[in-house]
Amino acid sequence: MTGKKYRLEIPGLDEAVTGKKSVGREYHARDSVSGGKHNQCVIFPANVSMVAEAMERRNKNWIVLTKVANDLIIQVGDSSFHLHKLPMISRCGYLNRLLFQKSNGGRDTSISIQIDNFPGGAKTFELVIKFCYGWKVDLTAANTAQLYCAANFLEMSDELQHGNLISKTEVFLSFLIFSSWKATFQILKSCESISSWAKELQILKRCSESIAWKACTNPQAFSCGENDTLENGVYKSKPEEVDNWWFEDVSSLQIDHFIEVIQSLKGKRMRPEVVGSCISHWTAKWLSPITFGLDLLKPKNMAHQLQGFTIECLIRVLPTKENSVTCNFLLTLLKVGLIMKINSDLLNILERRIASMLEKCRVPDLLVKNYEDNDSVYDVGIVIRVVQTYVSFISSNQRPKIFAVGRLVDGYLTLVARDENLTVTNFQSLAEALPLDARYCEDNLYRAIDMFLKAHPNSTEEERVSACRFLGYHRLSQEAREHVMKNDRLPLKITARFILLEQVNMSKSVKAMGSNYLRTKSQAIVRVTKSLGKGWMSSRKELKQMSKEVETMKMQLKDLQMCKMKLQGQLKKCTI
């Protein structure tokens, strides 16, 4: 039996623990996760009860060689470790208790133990063995968290032996989290396979708090900071640019670790728009290379069973402040959420939030791409859902604002109408999603309809009529009406209706001037209307003839107006 003095070598440890400056300290806030030299330390146990001569590996069997025969076999995963009871139970409370139960208080020559779900697996257990037998153990940012969890699993506390594995890994882990930005992310990366243990032992929380603290080094990132103003008891930050150097590193984290960091950022009162930008950055990195197969979304580097969970987590962690995230980003989340069939309550909350933003949106904010070959370029269906949600909760006193949404929808329709894969059903549904009084004028809607008909020359007459059904004569400008009557792309039924309405309008104008002129024209309109009911109007020839009559009526009406003005002038002179 031999013993070795406790020794812990960590560069810069004095400064991290005591606050005194040392030469080896490392803290580079802007370093990337992938670069730089790893922080390391070497630990030796004190009061070793047995020193091993060597550890020999035979396939998946590990045999510790000493002058004493092996009397303990521990199975971890598919690896077997042939060990000795004395060095293991002297430092591991868990093994001590387990061996006592298996031996029933007796002294069996050899005992075999199966350990399931051991933190870090066989590789980490090998380090534990080295520590228990007195060999040096190299601690790095990549293995410290796993070794710390393993030590807690095995109950390797100082109550059994002074300077046991829990206390030693705890010191180095705290040092890394406190001092090194890069090492903190390496620790989180190493915790991906042991997330439940890392969460229970507060490793995730400590790392997240450290990241949030270092990310908030820019005072402009804080809410309620020096650049904030107090308005009606509420702090409002000035829209100054924040140095988001940490976004890329945070975006390397898996979803549960990322959520922990976001919660810590919120706890530090970081501005909601900065937090929202960070969430958008993470989502763009993980969900941008989207492909579709079997109607299921398959993002890069993400298991299918985690996709729905990921979207739900992102929706729940979004900042609630208005404009903290963009409408386009929320629409993307909604699209993925619908495909993954996530919680319906979350979808409803997301829809209402997007709908509340429509009054301040621009057309590019609504552009969410489809990825199947037979689909339209942009997802029109999701915009229809949001517009319908908007209409369902607007109140009567919001009429002035609904016109902004009307212009937005018409602009969006004009853009997507050029897509030959856009169906007439989607086009019509979006055009009719808003109430009739949502538009001052329907010139933009007519422009979108004309664009749709031009991009779909093979549409049937019924489909073209459906696309134009929402268009109203009295909500068009005079210039647009004239264009309608000359537009060969419109269905005959729509063109004829507009020409007749134009003739009736002209006749009313003439009658308003107190003249019985063009009575025969009014009679002609009645005849044409009856003929339409009998199916007589079947070609463009009659429509062109009617258009000529309308133009003639306009010229005659203009002449009448000139005559009226002259008569009024002469009458005025006579009165004087």
Side-chain angles (χ1 to χ4, degrees), residues 120-379:
K123 186 176 181 180
T124 302
F125 191 69
E126 180 186 352
L127 296 177
V128 173
I129 294 171
K130 289 182 178 181
F131 180 83
C132 292
Y133 278 91
W135 290 333
K136 74 173 184 179
V137 176
D138 293 325
L139 295 185
T140 67
N143 67 16
T144 302
Q146 293 181 339
L147 201 54
Y148 177 68
C149 293
N152 278 273
F153 179 90
L154 294 173
E155 302 172 16
M156 302 177 69
S157 66
D158 283 4
E159 294 178 359
L160 291 176
Q161 288 281 350
H162 175 69
N164 212 343
L165 191 56
I166 290 180
S167 60
K168 291 189 175 182
T169 51
E170 165 67 27
V171 171
F172 186 56
L173 188 63
S174 299
F175 164 71
L176 288 180
I177 294 174
F178 174 79
S179 63
S180 175
W181 171 267
K182 173 177 63 66
T184 304
F185 283 91
Q186 290 173 332
I187 291 169
L188 286 174
K189 188 69 177 176
S190 70
C191 289
E192 290 181 356
S193 60
I194 54 170
S195 285
S196 59
W197 274 96
K199 188 172 184 178
E200 182 179 346
L201 296 174
Q202 301 291 308
I203 298 176
L204 297 185
K205 183 176 182 180
R206 290 160 63 187
C207 288
S208 300
E209 290 288 338
S210 175
I211 291 171
W213 172 65
K214 294 166 187 172
C216 289
T217 53
N218 187 342
Q220 296 176 5
F222 286 103
S223 293
C224 193
E226 294 180 358
N227 296 320
D228 293 358
T229 56
L230 186 63
E231 297 181 12
N232 299 323
V234 179
Y235 283 98
K236 295 186 177 181
S237 300
K238 296 179 181 179
E240 298 185 15
E241 291 296 326
V242 177
D243 185 7
N244 299 327
W245 54 269
W246 47 276
F247 275 17
E248 188 62 29
D249 287 341
V250 172
S251 295
S252 67
L253 302 175
Q254 67 178 29
I255 182 62
D256 51 343
H257 297 174
F258 175 72
I259 295 300
E260 287 279 351
V261 172
I262 292 298
Q263 297 290 13
S264 296
L265 290 171
K266 288 182 174 181
K268 298 292 183 186
R269 298 183 60 84
M270 180 169 277
R271 281 168 36 191
E273 54 269 29
V274 178
V275 176
S277 296
C278 182
I279 295 174
S280 300
H281 193 89
W282 186 95
T283 307
K285 183 171 182 177
W286 286 81
L287 297 180
S288 56
I290 295 174
T291 56
F292 287 84
L294 301 177
D295 298 326
L296 295 175
L297 196 63
K298 298 180 179 179
K300 180 182 179 182
N301 298 329
M302 191 179 298
H304 170 70
Q305 60 269 24
L306 293 178
Q307 295 166 12
F309 170 76
T310 298
I311 299 302
E312 289 182 356
C313 287
L314 291 175
I315 295 174
R316 288 191 176 99
V317 82
L318 287 173
T320 57
K321 182 182 177 183
E322 185 180 0
N323 299 324
S324 57
V325 286
T326 65
C327 179
N328 187 264
F329 172 66
L330 294 178
L331 279 171
T332 302
L333 281 185
L334 179 60
K335 176 183 176 66
V336 180
L338 288 169
I339 294 174
M340 299 308 303
K341 299 179 181 179
I342 65 171
N343 184 279
S344 59
D345 292 335
L346 287 177
L347 288 177
N348 292 335
I349 291 172
L350 197 56
E351 282 183 5
R352 291 181 67 86
R353 178 167 182 174
I354 299 170
S356 67
M357 300 171 68
L358 287 180
E359 295 167 355
K360 298 179 181 179
C361 281
R362 300 175 298 110
V363 171
D365 297 329
L366 304 182
L367 301 180
V368 178
K369 283 192 174 183
N370 281 320
Y371 292 89
E372 286 189 355
D373 295 336
N374 297 328
D375 275 341
S376 55
V377 176
Y378 299 106
D379 191 340

Side-chain angles (χ1 to χ4, degrees), residues 448-466:
I449 292 173
D450 187 44
M451 192 72 66
F452 179 82
L453 296 177
K454 185 177 181 180
H456 299 76
N458 298 323
S459 300
T460 64
E461 186 73 9
E462 182 180 358
E463 289 175 337
R464 293 193 296 163
V465 170
S466 296

